[in-house]
Each structure stands twice: as structure tokens, then as C-alpha cells.
Amino acid sequence: MALIRWNPGTELMNLHSEMDPLFEELAGDMGMARWTKGNGGTAQAFLPVDIERTDNALVIRASVPGFNPDEVSVTVDQGILTIDAQHREEKEKKENNHVRQERFSGHLYRQIALGEDVKGDEAKATFATGVLTVTVPLAKRSEPRKIPVQAAKR
């Protein structure tokens, strides 16, 4: 019977590789960017947003650096805002000569439930310096009305 020397580093590395998927799932649930490989090997990412409610509108801001306005699609349908951005890297050469490649090229996607009190048909989107800003006006809410309660006649 041979003795094998215990190496705590090996167990630590095993624990690390088992914990990685848990932290990736948690990061996605917290709204952090999550990168995956989609169909055809293209990169896909969850699009983080900032949402602000003003007196008369919802303002949604999303960072899409490196994208052009024509690569971004915004729709509002039945109180659901959908942001869909597709960016393809420019390929001037057929061979890949990158030493390092960190800029995102792929697909960004996000759907956000805005609620029923929005005027989706009046939404406006602007794009400046890599930030998409979507402004969705709020519909005027009806004021609560007090209804008098009457005693039933017997």
C-alpha cells in the first residue's frame, strides 16, 4: 500500500471549480453582466440597466459601448420593454492576429416589465456616447375615489 501525501491546494482547487457555477448564477440574479456562448459560438450577455421613475416618465439607461444606434432595437409591447442589440466585429482580415481581445462583440438582450401605467406608443429612445436612454411616459393614474357605504334596507 502506497502513502499519498495530502495536498490542501488540490482540494482548494476542486472546491473553487465546484463553486464557480454558483457564483456565476448569483451574479446573473443580481443584475451583473453574464457572458455566455450562444448558438453558433457568438457571445451573448445580459444587459444591465438603470431605471429611474420621474413624475411623468420611466427613464431606462443601458450601456452599450462600441455599438452603433442601428445595431440596437427597442420595442414596448403590452408593458414589456425589450432591448435587443447585435454587434458584429469588423473583420478586415480573414486570419485572427489578435494578441488580446476584450471588447465585446455579440448579442445583448434585456426584457423589463414596465407595468400597465405606461404609454408605450409614446416611448422615445436616444443614443449618445455608448448609452441608450429610453423614456417611456407614464399614463395618468386615476385618483382613488371614496365610495360611501349605505346600510341595506330591510
Side-chain angles (χ1 to χ4, degrees):
M1 179 183 281
L3 290 175
I4 299 174
R5 185 174 183 171
W6 177 65
N7 183 351
T10 302
E11 289 189 26
L12 185 60
M13 289 305 293
N14 288 340
L15 177 64
H16 183 274
S17 64
E18 289 178 23
M19 297 290 289
D20 274 350
L22 297 173
F23 283 112
E24 287 176 13
E25 184 175 327
L26 178 63
D29 291 343
M30 294 174 67
M32 299 169 144
R34 193 169 30 177
W35 304 83
T36 61
K37 287 287 187 183
N39 294 340
T42 59
Q44 295 180 341
F46 177 78
L47 179 63
V49 297
D50 293 337
I51 302 173
E52 176 186 357
R53 185 182 187 109
T54 65
D55 289 337
N56 48 0
L58 284 176
V59 180
I60 299 95
R61 289 183 184 84
S63 295
V64 284
F67 284 70
N68 294 319
D70 61 339
E71 297 173 319
V72 179
S73 168
V74 179
T75 59
V76 178
D77 186 26
Q78 297 180 356
I80 305 288
L81 171 71
T82 302
I83 302 171
D84 193 356
Q86 184 77 32
H87 180 65
R88 301 229 185 266
E89 180 185 350
E90 299 169 10
K91 297 195 177 189
E92 295 176 7
K93 298 180 181 178
K94 289 187 178 181
E95 39 185 271
N96 187 349
N97 293 327
H98 288 104
V99 174
R100 183 177 202 116
Q101 187 175 9
E102 295 180 350
R103 292 182 307 127
F104 180 76
S105 176
H107 185 220
L108 295 173
Y109 183 82
R110 184 72 183 265
Q111 281 192 316
I112 302 162
L114 301 175
E116 296 179 11
D117 62 337
V118 296
K119 297 178 182 177
D121 54 336
E122 296 179 23
K124 302 228 183 297
T126 59
F127 190 93
T129 62
V131 177
L132 172 70
T133 302
V134 180
T135 304
V136 185
L138 295 172
K140 186 170 181 172
R141 287 185 174 177
S142 59
E143 295 294 321
R145 184 177 70 101
K146 185 166 179 140
I147 301 170
V149 179
Q150 301 176 4
K153 296 181 183 179
R154 293 184 186 210

